[in-house]
Amino acid sequence: MTLRYRDLGEITVERDGVPVPVAGGKLRTVLGMLLVHPNRPVSPDALVEALWSDAAPAGAQSTLESHVFRLRKALEPDRVRGAASQVLAHDPAGYRLLTASAEVDSLRFARLAREADDLLTAGRSALLVTAEALGLWRGRPLGELADEPWAEAAVARLTELHGQVRERHVDALLAEGDPEAALLELESALRDHPLSERLWAQRMLADHRAGRPDRALADFTRARTLLLDELGVEPGRELRDLHARLLAEDPTLAGPRRVAAPTVDVRLPPRRTLLGRDAELDRLTALVTESALVTVVGPAGCGKTGLAVEVARAAAPAFPDGVRFVDLTAARAPEQVLDAVRAAVGLAVPATDAVRAHLLGLRMLLVLDNCEQVLDAAADLAETLLADGAATTLLATSREALDVPGEAVVALAPLPLPDPDDPEVAAAPAVRLFAERARVADSARAPDSAEVIARICRAVDGLPLAIELAAARTRAFALPEILDQVTTDPSGLAAVGRAHRGDHHRTLREAVAQSVALLGPDEAALHAAVSVVPGPFTVGVAGALAGLPADRAEDAVAGLVHRSLLSPLGPLRVGGPSRFAQLATVRGHATHVAADPDGLHLRRDRWVARLAAELPRLGSPAETAWFARLDDDLAALRATLVHTLVDRPSAVGVAVVGRVAQYLYHRGLSLEARHRLERAVALELGEPLDRALALLGLAGFRGLAGDGSPDLVAAAVRAVEPGSGAPELVDRLAVVAGTLAAGIGAAAVAPALAALRTVAAPDALPLAVAALLAGETPGSAAEVFARGAAVDDHFTCWVAAVVAAADALRAGRTDEGLRWTERLLEAHRAHGVVEAPFLLELRAGLTAQAGRAREAVTLFGAAHAHLTRAGIGWPHTDWAPPLLAAARAALPESAADAAWATGARMRLTDL
């Protein structure tokens, strides 16, 4: 991920070339303050003063933390939960924006200004440097924030530096022998700074060198008149001396004659539109002028060739001896690689040494395209051509690196996946690419549904080639049909008509097959095996599917990543295992080559069943670690549930879903969990305890939705041996008792409580939890909380805190209730809970009681969204509507609506 901060003008941010929305003046103020002090700590007090001056509200520090959190989330949305931020750090000294000088326009501008000074001092051309610097300037630094007290010094410094760079640019133009261009620059510069004697001196010299000596003398007269009228002073020594030399026709003022820049011989394929690759283009263009070998790696169809061609075109001025494109698509033998290079550089002698000798002194750029199928030959040639003294630069594209010493490797990912619900989705690079290729395919039927296009782009993982091939089908199919086709098997996309661009791109499946053909046995086996996991997976499940021991599975995964057949996703959390995923197009190929797909599904389902069977006691410390393991391989879990409950129903699905239902609830997948439980119960399969757990899980979810079925509890108890004390059954009966009481009233709890008392010891903690939830032991929430805390049972503590907070709300003990919700929030964060409808509703009601109307409406909006996602009716409590109405009445209608909308987007981590 590459961030770019544009602060020379209104502040904007780009991530990998795509604009990042930084909404709200407060967030821009925080970002502006951090940009003024990059890589240095900014104290919270300084940020509070910048945000509110002398009118900081109560709780300003807390509000600041909220703004910083939102800014960090905008800048680093994919940060692993719990991992240290790589962008916006916090330490005892304050907040620190971590960035490189190349990522911040103002820092790049200052660096280029210093570089221009050094070049001019050394008598070298600074024109390209000053032009690049001025190209960064978009207006007054920091835009709307420029007049803030904390910004004034930085803005003044940058503004002064801008004036100096303009002067250096004019000096560079004059040094290059281009006085006409210098005069154009001076016209604008003098309009902004009419009293600058330095600019007037440059104008006099430019007019003189342009062959207009009379105008040069007139320039002096105009400057003298202006200085006398405005400042009452005569021109300084520099102007007077230059005037005297002009009058004396000093021959040394003539300056250099302009020499036409040599034309660089560029031989590249035709230009194609490049979208969403600005950051990569800038990075690679700079890199090829610094490194002798740059290799762009990435999966088939990610756009390596198109990017390399545009990089070569942009970097051409730095290679006076030419730019050549070497297409290695058809090469299969070492001599064919050499032949392709010889043909590109126009050399007849068929010898590597002759090619190296020919290129030895040439400042040339060679683009070696599609090196993967002749990797060894391409690597050997690169080492030979880049031996000591070579001036030629190589830009290679390949699905894996050449592994040559000194090689700079740049991994190219697919385009960012567009969000179909984003109102600006039509501007997403992937969507624009599809729309443009569709217009080429059939201008009369240009597609107009950006949302469906976005879904198509997501189905092909943002792979540019797949997007282009899908867009070419718009002449024959409607967008929904294309979406169905790519969702079914994106690897089957094929070029049509003249869109055919070579055999390796005829179909995506064949393009992937070229890479797979080069794999070893373990890598090939693992490539096919993980096709039954439609999402991220760990090495553990990959090894089990491929039948490989851990060390060989790790090697095979590393090899597939190296060959761009697996995407590394990193761990979900600090200390967690790394995860990997196949692109949909790669998975499509793997599915077609899998020798025993039924056997692979069976291996996956058995692996998931073993993990589910390790179900810890509800609320135990081990449960958090078990939840984390389910998080790591959630894609495998969900695939198994679909396969064993829908596609090929079996007892495995019943056993798994009953054990993971609570996990799915905590991860915000309640509707999915209920749907799977309904299916499991209807199947009437599995062992007695497995059926009982599925029945209890379904009873619990129905209870949350207000349509509980006590008969399910009775059926669950009948499914097991009388008097069974199975921990799983005891725990789930306690949960069901509580959810039935909360959803449809205490009267419905009797069957669950009766069943629980037959299988649990009289003093069992689950029995105390159930009684508390059923309202049988009013006022004992603190006692139950203490019992749970004593044995580190976070579920018991959670239930007790909910009951205690609700009791405090009803009794009007607002501060006490808020303290209980703080404990709840802390526990949820510690255990990775992402949905918390009851906590949010409680917190909303308590903040409404406390008179914090805006916060209350926001939290009610969040509670409504969380309850709806969980399939629970809104409002869940009888006290919520009047408290919400009172909070809304305390706000202007527009403010209340805005707060509700903000809450609807809120996740638990935002609280």
Side-chain angles (χ1 to χ4, degrees), residues 759-815:
V759 296
D763 60 344
L765 198 51
L767 191 59
V769 170
L772 181 65
L773 285 167
E776 292 187 349
T777 54
S780 65
E783 177 188 341
V784 174
F785 184 91
R787 288 184 63 188
V791 295
D792 203 11
D793 183 338
H794 70 84
F795 178 76
T796 295
C797 293
W798 173 64
V799 170
V802 168
V803 173
D807 289 345
L809 184 147
R810 293 189 184 93
R813 301 191 302 272
T814 306
D815 290 342

Side-chain angles (χ1 to χ4, degrees), residues 688-764:
L689 182 58
D690 298 338
R691 296 198 304 273
L693 292 175
L695 287 162
L696 290 176
L698 181 56
F701 279 105
R702 285 184 177 178
L704 287 174
D707 60 350
S709 302
D711 58 303
L712 293 176
V713 179
V717 176
R718 287 196 303 270
V720 295
E721 295 294 326
S724 171
E728 300 97 326
L729 188 65
V730 174
D731 292 341
R732 269 56 193 177
L733 274 167
V735 174
V736 170
T739 53
L740 290 178
I744 58 176
V749 179
L753 281 175
L756 182 57
R757 290 187 175 106
T758 67
V759 296
D763 60 344

Side-chain angles (χ1 to χ4, degrees), residues 77-431:
D78 298 326
R79 181 167 60 96
V80 175
R81 185 169 59 241
S85 174
Q86 302 300 308
V87 174
L88 212 173
H90 184 210
D91 54 41
Y95 295 97
R96 189 191 312 260
L97 186 69
L98 306 175
T99 184
S101 62
E103 296 174 346
V104 182
D105 278 6
S106 58
L107 296 181
R108 291 177 66 187
F109 188 80
R111 176 179 59 79
L112 291 167
R114 292 192 298 271
E115 187 176 338
D117 281 344
D118 293 342
L119 288 171
L120 289 169
T121 300
R124 298 168 58 192
S125 174
L127 189 58
L128 291 178
V129 175
T130 54
E132 180 182 352
L134 292 174
L136 298 174
W137 194 270
R138 298 178 297 112
R140 199 173 181 207
L142 303 179
E144 62 184 347
L145 304 174
D147 293 322
E148 295 293 330
W150 53 267
E152 289 178 351
V155 172
R157 174 179 55 81
L158 287 168
T159 302
E160 181 179 357
L161 189 60
H162 178 239
Q164 295 172 3
V165 171
R166 293 174 87 174
E167 292 177 6
R168 304 296 185 273
H169 187 58
V170 172
D171 285 338
L173 287 169
L174 292 172
E176 293 283 335
D178 195 353
E180 297 291 353
L183 286 168
L184 288 175
E185 291 290 336
L186 286 164
E187 191 71 32
S188 171
L190 279 168
R191 192 162 49 243
D192 295 338
H193 304 284
L195 299 178
S196 169
E197 293 193 42
R198 173 72 179 132
L199 293 176
W200 280 109
Q202 288 179 316
R203 177 160 179 162
M204 291 164 62
L205 189 59
D207 270 327
H208 175 73
R209 291 183 178 178
R212 294 186 281 268
D214 292 344
R215 181 179 292 183
L217 294 172
D219 288 336
F220 175 80
T221 303
R222 289 176 59 195
R224 180 173 181 272
T225 301
L226 192 62
L227 290 169
L228 286 171
D229 290 346
E230 297 294 331
L231 302 178
V233 298
E234 287 282 350
R237 172 168 292 181
E238 181 183 11
L239 275 180
R240 295 198 309 272
D241 288 350
L242 179 58
H243 183 239
R245 294 173 66 191
L246 289 171
L247 290 172
E249 298 182 356
D250 185 342
T252 62
L253 294 178
R257 294 178 59 189
R258 187 179 185 187
V259 179
T263 301
V264 177
D265 185 8
V266 177
R267 302 179 192 177
L268 293 170
R271 169 169 274 158
R272 293 173 63 86
T273 303
L274 194 68
L275 296 172
R277 298 299 195 191
D278 291 350
E280 294 92 337
L281 182 61
D282 289 347
R283 179 186 178 193
L284 283 165
T285 301
L287 200 55
V288 294
T289 64
E290 301 167 359
S291 303
L293 171 61
V294 179
T295 304
V296 183
V297 300
C302 71
K304 302 182 294 294
T305 298
L307 177 61
V309 168
E310 290 309 307
V311 168
R313 203 181 306 279
F319 297 94
D321 294 312
V323 177
R324 299 290 187 273
F325 184 83
V326 183
D327 187 357
L328 299 177
T329 302
R332 293 294 183 272
E335 59 271 16
Q336 292 175 316
V337 175
L338 179 62
D339 288 344
V341 173
R342 285 195 304 107
V345 300
L347 191 64
V349 181
T352 304
D353 289 344
V355 175
R356 181 179 179 278
H358 175 74
L359 297 175
L360 185 62
L362 298 181
R363 180 66 171 146
M364 178 180 284
L365 175 63
L366 289 183
V367 180
L368 304 180
D369 190 45
N370 288 297
C371 295
E372 55 271 357
Q373 73 275 3
V374 284
L375 196 70
D376 290 340
D380 291 344
L381 182 65
E383 286 190 298
T384 300
L385 296 182
L386 301 179
D388 294 343
T392 297
T393 292
L394 302 182
L395 172 60
T397 73
S398 178
R399 295 174 201 173
E400 58 181 296
L402 302 186
D403 286 334
V404 171
E407 177 184 26
V409 180
V410 176
L412 184 63
L415 293 171
L417 296 181
D419 181 358
D421 298 324
D422 186 344
E424 303 297 327
V425 66
V431 175

Side-chain angles (χ1 to χ4, degrees), residues 639-653:
T640 286
L641 290 176
V642 172
H643 186 248
T644 57
L645 292 175
V646 180
D647 298 339
R648 295 189 179 182
S650 71
V652 171

